[in-house]
Amino acid sequence: MTPRARRVYAGRLLNVDLETVEAPDGSTLQLELVHHPGAAAVVALASPIESDDPSVLLLKQYRYAAGGPIWEVPAGVLEPGEAPAECARRGLKEETGAEAERIEHLTTILTTPGFTDERIHIFLATGITAGEPHPMADEFFEVRAMPISPALELIRNGEIADGKSIVALLYVAGFRLGM
């Protein structure tokens, strides 16, 4: 069976389709799917990776859906035709003002595959040059550099609850820094 879709919502950032699909057992399912262009998130090391406890750039950003400000790594939504690495560089510059000498793809995550096709590409940025952030009109945040150990403690105590940020920071700590 070829999937059939009916667009029930078309928005600035995402679309919602009601899709009729064939399940693995041959039955027919009707699914509500949120289609998202994808995003790139960045763990920006503000100090050399060889440091005992390298600093990372974090945002404390107001998120209405989360009920107020939350801690996040810098990120951006993919523009049409934009490569994830370019999106990562753009998001880093817009949200922190920083530019990276090197940017390395670490992994790609599916945010909530039960109802959306959103993928977030996670990058490590090193060789950081500081600058001034350029937030969009609907963005409200402060940028803070902190050693990764306290950032990991913010995950442990629930102050960092954003999924992409948790994955990104734990990935870097575990697979790049051996913490």
Side-chain angles (χ1 to χ4, degrees):
M1 165 186 215
T2 303
R4 292 183 319 239
R6 180 171 57 91
R7 176 86 11 113
V8 294
Y9 175 78
R12 176 181 61 84
L13 177 64
L14 52 90
N15 298 314
V16 180
D17 289 349
L18 186 59
E19 298 191 21
T20 303
V21 300
E22 186 175 329
D25 68 359
S27 64
T28 300
L29 303 173
Q30 223 173 13
L31 304 173
E32 298 166 334
L33 293 178
V34 176
H35 297 286
H36 187 282
V42 184
V43 175
L45 295 184
S47 58
I49 197 166
E50 302 80 23
S51 303
D52 287 340
D53 198 5
S55 290
V56 296
L57 297 179
L58 295 176
L59 308 174
K60 189 149 195 182
Q61 184 160 340
Y62 175 77
R63 295 292 192 186
Y64 176 80
I70 63 171
W71 287 103
E72 296 181 67
V73 296
V77 174
L78 286 163
E79 298 289 341
E82 184 178 38
E86 288 309 308
C87 179
R89 286 185 183 280
R90 178 178 52 79
L92 178 63
K93 182 154 180 69
E94 287 174 3
E95 293 193 331
T96 69
E99 293 191 54
E101 197 174 285
R102 290 170 305 289
I103 193 145
E104 172 191 355
H105 181 259
L106 300 175
T107 192
T108 298
I109 62 171
L110 300 169
T111 60
T112 43
F115 69 87
T116 182
D117 59 3
E118 180 185 24
R119 284 173 166 72
I120 300 180
H121 308 276
I122 298 175
F123 291 85
L124 174 65
T126 56
I128 299 295
T129 302
E132 286 299 313
H134 302 285
M136 298 171 78
D138 63 348
E139 292 182 314
F140 306 94
F141 58 78
E142 65 179 79
V143 180
R144 191 172 307 161
M146 74 172 63
I148 198 164
S149 291
L152 296 175
E153 192 56 37
L154 291 177
I155 293 171
R156 183 189 313 275
N157 70 27
E159 288 184 66
I160 295 180
D162 171 57
K164 73 179 178 307
S165 299
I166 291 170
V167 169
L169 291 165
L170 290 176
Y171 191 103
V172 169
F175 295 128
R176 289 297 189 268
L177 303 175
M179 299 180 90

